[in-house]
Structure formats: C-alpha cells, structure tokens
Amino acid sequence: MTTTLPSGRQFAPDFLWGSATASYQIEGAAHEDGRLPSIWDTFSRTPGKVLNGDTGDVAVDHYHRVPQDVAIMKKLGLQAYRFSIAWPRVQPTGSGEFNKLGLDFYVDLVDQLLAAGIKPVVTLYHWDLPQPLEDEGGWANRETAYLFADYARKVAETLGDKVFLWTTLNEPWCSAFLGYASGVHAPGVMDDEAALKAVHHLNLAHGLAARAIKDVLGQDTPISITLNTHVTRAASDAPEDVEAKRQIDTIANEVFLRPVVEGVYPPEVFADTAHITDWSFVQDGDLELIQVPLEVLGINYYSTGRVKRGVAAVGNGEPGPDGHKSAPHTPFVGATNVEFLPQPGPHTAMDWNIEPLGLTELLLDLSKRYPSLPLAITENGSAWYDTVVDGRVHDQERVDYLHDHVEAVGQAMDAGADVRGYFVWSLLDNFEWAYGYDRRFGVVHVDYDTQVRTIKDSGLWYANLVATRTIAPSTEITPLAD
Ligand code: IFM
C-alpha cells in the first residue's frame, strides 16, 4: 500500500494525541493479587474459540512492566493514554468486596502517567466481565447494569479527579452482538433475544455508571462512551439494498447512539426484531437514565462495509463493516436477508479493507446530526505480521494507514467536524481476542517470548506527528532522541 492522501497538514495545539490499550489484551497476571476469571479467561480456555488456544494469562505482562511502558509512552511524547480497568481485578466476583491490590495497581498507573505528563483516559469496561456475573446471565441480566454502576462508583472514589476523561463502555456492539448473538467473542452465547437484552442493559449500565461517577466527582466530570459506529454502504440505489443498509445502521449504530445521545430507541428496531422480542425488558424511566450529557463521543474506526439484500439470513463469512468476519450466526440481529459483500482492497492482515475517507464521512455525518457533541477518535490502527530485523520494525503499511487516517480526520475537521483528539490502536502488540497473538496492532512491537519492546517505524512516525502536530510524509521516519 502507499498513501493516497496528502501530507503536510498541521493540527492545532489543543488537539489531543494519545494511544489506547485494554486490560485483558495487555495486562497478563491473570491469577495474581486477587484477580479472578473474567468471561475472556473462560472463553479463551474453551477449545476452538481463540486461534492457537492463546489466552491473556501473560499477554504482554504490562501488569509487571508499568514503569517501562509509561517510559515508552513518554518517549513517544504521548499526551494521553486510554486504558481500561479490569473489573475482575478490582472487584473479583463482580459484586460485593473490592480488592485493594487491584485498585492500587490502577492508582499507581495513574500516578505514573501523571508524573510523566500523560493524561489518563479511563475505560471502565472493555469486555472482561467477571465470570460470576456471566453465570447469572451476564449482560442479558438487568442486575449486571446496577452492579456495573457500583463498580464505577468505587473506581471514581478511588481515582478521583486524577482522571482526564471517563469512558463507561468500549464498543457495546461487540459486547452485545459478538458476545451473545454470533458468539465469536466471550461469553460465546448464540441467542438473539439475549443479545437484544444485552444491548439495553449495556445502555442502562452506561447511564447508571455515568450518573454514579458524576455523583461522586461532580456534575461537570467529563463522561464519554466509545462506539464502533459502522460505516456501511448500500451496494446499489435499489430500494431493497438501501433498506438492507438501513437495517444494519439500525442494529449496529442507532440502538446505541439514539438512546445514549437522544434518550430514545430508533422505532425501526422494534419492527426489525418483533419476531425475536417485544422489548418488554425496557422499563419506564430507563431511557431517561441512559441519556447523560457527554463531554465527547468516542469513535473507533477501522474499515467500511457494503451490503445488499440477500437471500440468506446469515453472514457469509466475509468481513463485516467493523471488519469482523460475519459468523454463520449473524451478529446483525433483525437485519434479515442482508448480505455483506467483499470490499475492494487493499486489506490489512485482519482482511479489513482500508478506506480512510470512510472516517471523514462518519465524522461529518455524526457532527451534522449532533452539532454540539464533540468527537474523538478513541481507536484507529491496523494489524500486520510485523517482524524485528536488526533492531527495527519497518511497518510501512501501518505508517501509510496512520498517515491517511489522520489526514482523513483533518479533512472532516476542515468541513466542520468538531474532533478533539486521536488515539492510535494500539500502543503495544497484544492479545487480539479471537485471533490471539497472531496479528499485531501495536506501534510498539512486543516479542512474546522475551517481552522485549521495540518501537516500530509507525511509533517513530507517530511520535513525530505528536511533536510537530504535522503530518509528515509516510516515508519520513525520524529516529527518537535518547
Ligand atoms: O483490539 C480491538 C479492541 O479491543 C477493540 N476495538 C477493535 C480492536 C481491533 O480489533
């Protein structure tokens, strides 16, 4: 791949540059200091669920390497670090007692970040639900939303105003539909009604947690949620293809966006899913609780999708709009007879198509719909099969990808989108869920045998972007000063 968009753009000094990770993907120490299993510990141990039988037991050992990893962030010049808190580390069974050692780990991480001049951006839930809660029905059980708010309250009391931005949930679409409909993510359930209940209980959990945090830290406390808002196009202008796209938009985007931002469910979702449920699990007053003013809406963007009206109600095994291959049991619940078409290349190692201007389109669409809601790119990046050669990782494809996507953000801002920051996914190579350690997303390479970290060319290029606020040509890789 080469770049397709121009270089040279300069960003304003108040635009925030960071990187992102998630607890189960990097921490390891799965059985230490009181942490108990999450649904991902269980799922990854279930034969056939994760490539090569990989687990997050050790991951990239971040739990034992915080000083080293914060030093790398400082060397890269990062202004902010988005990480998630492992619920089963701070409240091992998901209810009742909290674990001081688990909480201390995050207090220490936040203190080290602040000492390095890096703003902590906390995500409270990035998919590692305590297993005992799943045993009671997980996100299909309303009680999980209330327990999540208790946990959020405790974390807010513990970390206080040291946190720059609180994000309740990461990509609830994945939690609900990959977890409970297609079953390709933990907990591996395939039950469409459970998935729709999970949607509502995740939305409710967001609202209750946001209110708990504000209750503890004050009404002005900055709150966000991160959505992997899908960019889907209709294969043609034919009404049936346009309707196929509408169905995907509804179940992938609108069921989260509309309650969270507007306090309503899209009416179409009730008709689309009437054969599955009557939505009686939505109780009076829930939508008021879900809608909480957001400081910023977090957007994770990787690729695009294209759909047409098909003949089958199941996925076709091709990459879907967020890049996840559609499973035999579709995660797009209620979008009956919709077929995802293969997207033209280039593709990353995940087989996800690369289309930077899809990001421009998404940001503009959201900012037109919600002009007073600022946006941030909370994840963007690409996976490749990187190798270290003579102490360097020449990941030119990733540099090209970042170059074009950062420029795509700039183009959206030129056209009026209010975008406040960009977080590259990911800081470190890590456990990529059902793909295990096979594909690498980091701008820092990790040798999984020795845990040695090597800043890739993409990390060097990104450090230059952060330092200069200017998009250098992707061929310009400037070494870091020691
Ligand atoms: O690794 C994931 C991350 O946990 C959530 N967003 C997508 C990334 C790449 O698949």
Side-chain angles (χ1 to χ4, degrees), residues 21-22 25 82 126-127 170-171 174 185 226 228 300-302 322 324 350 352 379-383 425-426 430-433 435 441:
T21 62
Q25 294 182 272
R82 172 180 180 253
H126 197 128
W127 308 352
N170 177 74
E171 301 181 352
C174 296
H185 276 191
T226 278
N228 55 328
N300 291 356
Y301 176 85
Y302 291 91
D322 78 327
H324 289 276
M350 301 294 282
W352 301 352
E379 284 181 26
N380 176 239
S382 56
W425 183 270
S426 179
N430 60 51
F431 176 80
E432 176 52 29
W433 308 112
Y435 295 90
F441 270 97

Side-chain angles (χ1 to χ4, degrees), residues 100-171:
K100 181 165 181 329
L101 291 177
L103 287 163
D104 286 351
F105 170 73
Y106 295 106
V107 171
D108 181 52
L109 170 60
V110 163
D111 286 344
Q112 291 198 40
L113 289 169
L114 291 173
I118 299 167
K119 295 179 166 56
V121 173
V122 165
T123 299
L124 285 163
Y125 185 72
H126 197 128
W127 308 352
D128 38 3
L129 186 74
Q131 182 61 43
L133 299 190
E134 182 53 38
D135 298 341
E136 300 296 322
W139 288 110
N141 178 2
R142 185 178 173 94
E143 180 63 13
T144 301
Y146 295 102
L147 294 171
F148 181 67
D150 294 345
Y151 149 72
R153 176 179 294 275
K154 180 69 175 182
V155 177
E157 285 166 357
T158 308
L159 298 181
D161 60 7
K162 292 176 177 174
V163 171
F164 180 71
L165 177 67
W166 294 91
T167 305
T168 53
L169 306 173
N170 177 74
E171 301 181 352

Side-chain angles (χ1 to χ4, degrees), residues 192-211:
D192 289 353
E193 185 174 31
L196 295 172
K197 286 182 178 169
V199 166
H200 182 61
H201 299 145
L202 283 155
N203 285 331
L204 183 62
H206 158 76
L208 293 171
R211 285 165 195 279

Side-chain angles (χ1 to χ4, degrees), residues 19 60 68-69 72-73 76 78 386 393 395 398 424 426-430 440-448 452-460:
S19 74
V60 297
Q68 182 189 2
D69 291 341
I72 290 172
M73 293 179 222
L76 293 174
L78 298 185
D386 308 306
V393 180
D395 56 339
R398 185 176 290 102
V424 65
S426 179
L427 176 69
L428 303 162
D429 289 338
N430 60 51
R440 295 171 176 272
F441 270 97
V443 294
V444 176
H445 181 276
V446 180
D447 179 321
Y448 294 125
V452 167
R453 275 90 162 124
T454 306
I455 298 176
K456 302 179 190 178
D457 283 0
S458 57
L460 300 176

Side-chain angles (χ1 to χ4, degrees), residues 462-476:
Y462 191 65
N464 180 67
L465 171 66
V466 177
T468 62
R469 296 180 285 108
T470 306
I471 302 181
S474 69
T475 45
E476 251 177 59

Side-chain angles (χ1 to χ4, degrees), residues 14-17 295-296 374-377 413 418-422:
D14 60 354
F15 191 86
L16 194 66
W17 298 101
E295 178 84 4
V296 69
L375 305 169
I377 313 306
M413 293 169 75
D418 180 5
V419 187
R420 303 288 175 90
Y422 176 95

